[in-house]
Amino acid sequence: MKASLQWMNEYVPLDLARPAQELADELTQAGIPVEDVISMDPGLKKIYTGKIVEIIKHPDADKLQVCQVQCLDEDGAEITKQIVTAATNVAVGQIVPVAYHKSRLADGTEIKKGKLRGVTSEGMFCSVAEFGLSKEQVRPEEAEGIYIFPENTPIGLDIKEALMLDDTVYEFELTANRADCFSMVGLSREFAIMTGKKALFPVIMVNENGNSIDGKASVVIENNELCTRFTARVVKNVTIEPSPLWMQNRLRNSGIRPTNNVVDVTNYVMLELGQPMHAYDYDRVAGHTLIARNAKSGETLVTLDGSERKLDESMLVIADSNGPIGIAGVMGGRDSEVTNDTTHVLLEAAVFNGPSIRRTSKALGMRSEASGRFERGINHKYTAYAIDRAAQLLQQICPSCEVEVGVIDVYPTPVEQRTVTFTVDSVNDYLGTSIDKDRMVSILTNLEFVITQNGDALDALVPTWRDDVTGMPDIAEEVARIYGYDNIVPTIPHAVLSSGGMTPKKALTKQVTHYLASVGLSQIITFSFMHKDGLSNMMLPEGDSRYTAIPILNPISEEFPYMRTTLVPAVIEAALRNMAQQNKDLWLFETANVYEPKALPLVEVPHERPMACGIMMGKTTEPAWNEPQRETDFYDVKGVVDGLLSNLGVVGYTITPCGESYYHPGVSANYTINGVTIANFGELHPQVSKNFDLPGKVYMFEIDLEAILDLTMPEFKYQPFSKFPGTSRDLAIVAPVIVTSGEIMELINEHGGEYLHSVSIFDVYEGEHIEAGYRSLAYNLQFRSMEGTLNDEEIDGIIQNIISALNDKNCKLR
C-alpha cells in the first residue's frame, strides 16, 4: 500500500516540512511498518507551465516549428518565450511544460538557450520521459509526444507542483490482519493518533438529480456465502474524458495509472475507503441485472486485459442475463467495460468472501489491487459509503451526469459489531506493564473503540473496520503499540524452566546419522512421496502391507501420488540421479519417516515409523598407483550394519536369512531380537536392479529405528582384564547343511561354561571327503579365567560338553 503525504494532508493536517523519515519511524514502531520513504521529486529544476499562443513553420527546417509561448518570469510577470520544437502534437492554446534556460531534467540533462537551424530557442517542451515518469504511469495518449495539461491549468506553475512531483510517498508493508490500513481513510486514523491531530473524513453527499432507479437495474445474490453484500447505482449522461489532474496525480503517486474519469473514480474510492468497485457500461449489461453466482462448467470470459479465462464452478462471477461479465473481486470483463462511447454507467460495490477470491485469483494467475483487498477483508459498513462517494465524485468532475434516485443494496445478513470484554489488570498482566485505566481508555477511545464500564471489567465495542480484534490479547496489542513498545520495561517472566533436550527418537536418529556419516556414507534427503511404480519394481508380493499407502489429494506430480511406506525406492532414485551425473561410486543413506495408515480412507493420523536406509555400490577406494581399486561387496554392507548396531549398544540379536523379495535370496540377512526384525541387509535382487536400471551389484540395508527404540538396552558394565594368560582350541565340526552356523555357535556359547570368552568361525568347507548334505565348519574358541591359568583338564571337560551337545544336532567332530 502506497500513501501520498500530500493526499493524506487532506484528512490529517501534517507538518510537511518535518523530515518524512521521523513520522515513518513512529508509524513503524506503532505496528504500521513503513517499508520505504519515496521522494517523488526526480530533481527537476526551472520547468513551468506555459501557453502556446502562436505556431509558425521553421524557415529552414520542414520538421521544426517555432512557437511563441506565454510564460511567467521569476517575479511573476508575464513574458513570451520562443521555443523551437519538432513535436507534432502541439497546437495554439495548449498548456505545455516549458523547460527554461538553465533548467534540469529528470536524467540530469541541463537545458540552455540556443539556436536550432539559425532560430533562437529559449528552452524546450517536455514529454513525460523528461519528468522521470514511465509510459506505464500515464494514459496511453500521454505517453508519446509533448505532455499536454488540462486547459484550465494556470501558466507559470512549477511542474513539480502541477504533477505532485514534490510529494513524498510512504510504502507500507502491512500485515494481513490490518485490512483497514489498505485505504487512505484507514491510514489517516493511524496518522492522526501518532501526530495528536484529529482525522477529517470526506463528507459524502449525493445530489440525486435523475429519475428513480426502480425498474432500471437490479441485483441478485445467488451465493450468500461468497457474496454477503451487493450495492449498485445508475449514473446517466456521463461524458467519458480524462479525470482532473489532481485525481490523476493522486492515483499515479499511489501506483495506479489513470485511465478515464469513470474508471479513475472507482480506483480513487478504492484507495480512499478501501472498498474495491467496478463500473459497467449500463447499456452493455443484458437486462441491466447484476447476478453474483458461481460460474458454470465450461464458461469463459475475456477480461479487461484481453485474455480469455476458463472458469470453473468454484469461482464467483458477476453475470448478467446472458452470462459472466466479470470475475468477482478480481477483474471485469471486456464486453461490459466503460469505453469512450459509454454514456450510462452502472456502478457496483460489493463484499466478497476473501478465501474464495484468493483461490480464484491464484487459479487464474491474476492479482489486482481489488483482489488483494478482498483477500484481507472488506468493511461491510463502508460498501454503502463507497457507492455514494463514487457517485458524488462523478458529479463533481462531470457536471453533465445525472445520478438516479435510490441505491440498490442487497444485504441479507448484516454484520453485527463485536464487543470484547477485558480488565485493566488482565491487559497489564499480559503486557508486563502498569498502565492506569484512564490512559488505557484514552488510547482505545482515540482508536475509535467505544469503552463502557461493566463492573470491574470494561467492554470495548470494536469498530467495524477492525475485524482482527477478537479478544483481550488484541486489545492489549492496541494499547501496547500506541503506548509505545520502547516504554515497556523488559521483565523476566516468572516460570518454572527446565533444560531442553531431544526426544529419544530424535536422539537415536541423530546418533544413527552421525555414525553412518562417520563410516563414509553420504546423507541424502528426499521427498516423503512415493513413485507409483516403486513398490512393484521392488517385486513386493501382492497383499504386502506396504502397498497400503496414503493417497495425496494435491500431489506435486502425478508420478508421486502416495506417501511413502518404504525408503528403498527413494534411495535408489537418488542413486540413479547421481549416476546420471557420472557419480557411480556411491555410499548413500537417508534417515526419515515412512507412513503407515491404520485404515483407508484416513480416519486418524497415520503411524510415522522412523527408518534408516542405505545403498552401497561401485568402488570403495580412490584409484592409486600402488593399490588396485576394490568393488563394494557383501562384507562392506554387513560391516556398516554390524558397526551401527554395536555403536547403538544393540546386543543379543540373531542373524537369519532374509525373506524380503528385493534382496538376493542367498546374499542377504535379517537381524532379529525376540522374533522382531530390527534390520536387514544384502545384495539387491538382480531383477530388482534391472527394474530400476541399476548396473552391477548393488547392496542395501534398512534399519527399523522404532524397533530399536523399543528395545531394552543392557547397561554397560566394566570389568578388569584378566592378568592370566588365555588359551584357545579349534573345533572342526561336520554338520548337516540345514544346521546354520548361528545355531552351532549358540550351542557352543550355551555349553561353553564360564571360561569361554569368545567363539568365531574361520573356515567352511563342502566337497571331497565330506558326505553329501553335510559341510565342515571350523571354529576358534578362546578361554580365559580371572582366577588363574586354565589347565588342559578344565578345558577338556568343557570341550566334551560342547561335543555332546553338538551330537544331539547330528553334528560330529571331524
Side-chain angles (χ1 to χ4, degrees):
M1 173 69 187
K2 290 183 177 180
S4 157
L5 291 194
Q6 286 194 22
W7 188 5
M8 182 60 67
N9 194 51
E10 185 173 295
Y11 309 106
V12 181
L14 299 177
D15 181 5
L16 297 178
R18 177 189 181 191
Q21 189 63 51
E22 289 184 5
L23 180 56
D25 292 340
E26 291 176 9
L27 288 165
T28 300
Q29 285 292 320
I32 311 297
V34 179
E35 182 72 13
D36 197 8
V37 178
I38 305 169
S39 173
M40 301 304 294
D41 185 359
L44 303 178
K45 178 183 176 183
K46 296 186 70 175
I47 305 177
Y48 303 95
T49 56
K51 182 177 182 179
I52 300 175
V53 294
E54 182 184 283
I55 300 177
I56 62 173
K57 289 186 177 181
H58 191 289
D60 295 322
D62 293 338
K63 294 185 178 181
L64 297 179
Q65 301 182 85
V66 182
C67 303
Q68 302 300 318
V69 186
Q70 184 180 340
C71 302
L72 298 181
D73 63 13
E74 293 180 358
D75 298 325
E78 188 174 302
I79 59 173
T80 300
K81 289 183 176 291
Q82 180 171 283
I83 305 294
V84 179
T85 180
T88 59
N89 67 321
V90 293
V92 172
Q94 289 177 340
I95 307 297
V96 295
V98 184
Y100 287 15
H101 178 58
K102 294 186 177 179
S103 61
R104 184 172 60 238
L105 306 182
D107 63 0
T109 301
E110 291 191 359
I111 304 301
K112 296 182 180 180
K113 179 179 179 180
K115 289 186 176 182
L116 292 176
R117 292 291 186 94
V119 178
T120 299
S121 181
E122 299 178 81
M124 66 173 281
F125 296 148
C126 298
S127 68
V128 293
E130 274 85 42
F131 305 149
L133 298 177
S134 68
K135 295 180 180 181
E136 289 72 28
Q137 293 178 283
V138 296
R139 295 182 299 117
E141 56 267 32
E142 298 172 342
E144 304 295 338
I146 301 305
Y147 182 82
I148 309 300
F149 283 95
E151 60 183 14
N152 59 350
T153 305
I155 65 170
L157 192 63
D158 191 309
I159 293 302
K160 291 190 290 187
E161 180 183 349
L163 295 177
M164 274 179 66
L165 296 176
D166 55 349
D167 192 11
T168 298
V169 172
Y170 284 171
E171 185 169 5
F172 293 90
E173 188 68 29
L174 299 167
T175 53
N177 65 307
R178 291 308 305 269
D180 59 303
C181 289
F182 282 82
S183 68
M184 296 297 291
V185 164
L187 284 170
S188 70
R189 299 187 186 95
E190 302 296 329
F191 276 81
I193 199 168
M194 298 312 301
T195 59
K197 305 289 180 62
K198 182 175 178 59
L200 304 173
F201 302 130
V203 177
I204 302 175
M205 296 181 63
V206 182
N207 177 23
E208 296 179 323
N209 55 351
N211 300 313
S212 174
I213 197 174
D214 291 342
K216 296 182 179 178
S218 61
V219 166
V220 177
I221 299 177
E222 291 188 1
N223 190 329
N224 290 331
E225 293 183 358
L226 300 187
C227 179
T228 51
R229 189 174 191 180
F230 203 151
T231 66
R233 267 192 180 275
V234 175
V235 181
K236 292 196 170 185
N237 299 324
V238 176
T239 302
I240 304 300
E241 58 188 0
S243 56
L245 194 55
W246 62 266
M247 181 176 287
Q248 292 187 46
N249 291 338
R250 291 179 179 183
L251 291 175
R252 188 161 37 238
N253 286 5
S254 301
I256 294 180
R257 183 175 73 173
T259 303
N260 59 52
N261 51 356
V262 173
V263 174
D264 289 354
V265 161
T266 60
N267 285 328
Y268 188 91
V269 173
M270 176 181 68
L271 293 175
E272 184 178 52
L273 298 178
Q275 170 68 60
M277 298 186 62
H278 191 68
Y280 302 90
D281 186 320
Y282 175 84
D283 295 320
R284 298 168 72 180
V285 175
H288 307 311
T289 299
L290 298 179
I291 307 168
R293 64 167 173 82
N294 290 80
K296 299 175 182 178
S297 177
E299 283 188 324
T300 61
L301 175 68
V302 178
T303 49
L304 291 173
D305 58 4
S307 299
E308 184 177 61
R309 311 288 179 175
K310 294 182 179 179
L311 310 176
D312 62 50
E313 293 93 333
S314 68
M315 300 175 181
L316 187 71
V317 298
I318 305 301
D320 60 14
S321 56
N322 290 339
I325 58 174
I327 301 172
V330 182
M331 188 176 290
R334 172 166 285 188
D335 289 345
S336 60
E337 71 173 320
V338 173
T339 66
N340 291 337
D341 298 327
T342 299
T343 57
H344 304 332
V345 174
L346 181 58
L347 294 174
E348 166 233 301
V351 179
F352 302 121
N353 177 269
S356 171
I357 299 302
R358 179 173 177 80
R359 286 192 294 269
T360 299
S361 176
K362 185 177 180 181
L364 296 176
M366 303 169 66
R367 293 282 297 170
S368 63
E369 290 279 351
S371 66
R373 285 169 170 78
F374 279 119
E375 289 170 13
R376 292 170 175 85
I378 296 297
N379 181 9
H380 287 69
K381 185 176 180 181
Y382 276 17
T383 305
Y385 297 161
I387 202 80
D388 285 346
R389 179 61 167 162
Q392 177 192 26
L393 288 170
L394 274 177
Q395 282 188 319
Q396 179 182 332
I397 66 177
C398 182
S400 65
C401 72
E402 298 177 2
V403 179
E404 301 287 48
V405 177
V407 180
I408 301 173
D409 188 357
V410 179
Y411 195 12
T413 309
V415 176
E416 296 183 1
Q417 281 186 257
R418 182 185 298 113
T419 298
V420 175
T421 301
F422 67 98
T423 65
V424 174
D425 289 341
S426 65
V427 171
N428 280 324
D429 288 345
Y430 190 82
L431 298 176
T433 56
S434 55
I435 304 171
D436 61 60
K437 184 178 80 171
D438 291 342
R439 174 70 172 131
M440 202 175 289
V441 170
S442 174
I443 289 172
L444 294 171
T445 301
N446 288 337
L447 290 171
E448 301 189 42
F449 289 80
V450 178
I451 307 299
T452 55
Q453 189 80 34
N454 183 12
D456 293 334
L458 297 173
D459 289 336
L461 183 64
V462 181
T464 57
W465 55 84
R466 291 304 305 273
D467 197 49
D468 59 311
V469 178
T470 59
M472 183 279 294
D474 300 315
I475 294 291
E477 181 182 358
E478 293 302 297
V479 172
R481 70 185 187 86
I482 303 303
Y483 180 74
Y485 293 116
D486 290 342
N487 296 325
I488 299 176
V489 179
T491 57
I492 299 174
H494 298 284
V496 178
L497 303 178
S498 59
S499 59
M502 290 186 289
T503 62
K505 173 183 172 181
K506 184 69 176 178
L508 175 62
T509 302
K510 182 178 180 181
Q511 186 177 356
V512 170
T513 300
H514 284 189
Y515 177 81
L516 293 176
S518 72
V519 296
L521 280 82
S522 298
Q523 185 179 16
I524 58 173
I525 299 175
T526 64
F527 288 122
S528 297
F529 316 128
M530 187 165 60
H531 194 284
K532 57 184 179 182
D533 297 329
L535 300 181
S536 59
N537 285 341
M538 289 170 61
M539 299 199 310
L540 293 181
E542 292 184 12
D544 190 287
S545 62
R546 281 164 288 194
Y547 281 111
T548 307
I550 303 166
I552 302 170
L553 292 178
N554 187 25
I556 60 172
S557 167
E558 293 182 359
E559 293 185 345
F560 294 90
Y562 302 106
M563 299 298 292
R564 62 185 173 191
T565 54
T566 173
L567 301 183
V568 171
V571 172
I572 292 177
E573 289 293 337
L576 289 171
R577 285 192 293 272
N578 274 274
M579 291 175 64
Q581 302 298 322
Q582 301 303 309
N583 300 320
K584 299 180 180 179
D585 303 325
L586 301 170
W587 284 22
L588 307 176
F589 79 94
E590 179 173 21
T591 53
N593 289 339
V594 297
Y595 302 87
E596 301 170 344
K598 299 174 183 176
L600 288 178
L602 284 180
V603 293
E604 55 182 313
V605 176
H607 178 62
E608 299 184 25
R609 182 181 298 276
M611 300 285 289
C613 180
I615 187 168
M616 301 169 65
M617 57 190 295
K619 303 289 193 298
T620 63
T621 57
E622 295 292 332
W625 67 270
N626 61 344
E627 184 179 358
Q629 286 186 280
R630 183 176 66 82
E631 294 284 343
T632 300
D633 60 23
F634 175 83
Y635 296 102
D636 289 313
V637 65
K638 182 178 186 300
V640 167
V641 177
D642 284 346
L644 175 59
L645 296 179
S646 176
N647 181 266
L648 299 176
V650 178
V651 295
Y653 51 79
T654 301
I655 301 178
T656 59
C658 182
E660 290 286 9
S661 59
Y662 46 92
Y663 284 128
H664 194 300
V667 196
S668 57
N670 279 342
Y671 289 76
T672 60
I673 296 180
N674 298 325
V676 177
T677 299
I678 60 172
N680 60 51
F681 72 93
E683 180 185 333
L684 212 58
H685 195 289
Q687 184 59 48
V688 173
S689 295
K690 183 178 180 181
N691 292 343
F692 284 103
D693 292 328
L694 288 168
K697 292 187 176 182
V698 179
Y699 301 90
M700 295 195 71
F701 64 84
E702 285 186 286
I703 316 288
D704 187 340
L705 302 184
E706 185 174 270
I708 292 176
L709 276 173
D710 292 339
L711 296 176
T712 301
M713 301 294 186
E715 295 183 2
F716 283 105
K717 294 182 179 180
Y718 298 91
Q719 61 184 26
F721 290 105
S722 173
K723 61 183 179 179
F724 302 103
T727 186
S728 66
R729 293 287 178 89
D730 292 338
L731 288 180
I733 308 298
V734 176
V737 173
I738 60 173
V739 178
T740 65
S741 175
E743 292 175 317
I744 293 174
M745 292 179 70
E746 188 176 344
L747 278 174
I748 293 173
N749 281 307
E750 182 181 349
H751 296 88
E754 60 177 316
Y755 301 134
L756 181 62
H757 185 261
S758 65
V759 180
S760 61
I761 184 170
F762 65 88
D763 184 58
V764 179
Y765 173 74
E766 291 183 67
E768 190 179 356
H769 306 303
I770 300 297
E771 184 180 351
Y774 287 78
R775 58 181 173 173
S776 173
L777 305 169
Y779 297 89
N780 176 260
L781 286 64
Q782 295 285 336
F783 297 93
R784 188 182 300 273
S785 172
M786 299 294 293
E787 288 81 20
T789 303
L790 295 173
N791 55 43
D792 289 341
E793 289 77 12
E794 293 172 306
I795 299 300
D796 289 342
I798 295 172
I799 294 297
Q800 191 57 50
N801 290 337
I802 292 173
I803 293 173
S804 297
L806 290 172
N807 286 334
D808 294 338
K809 281 282 189 178
N810 199 21
C811 300
K812 301 177 181 179
L813 194 64
R814 183 176 177 186

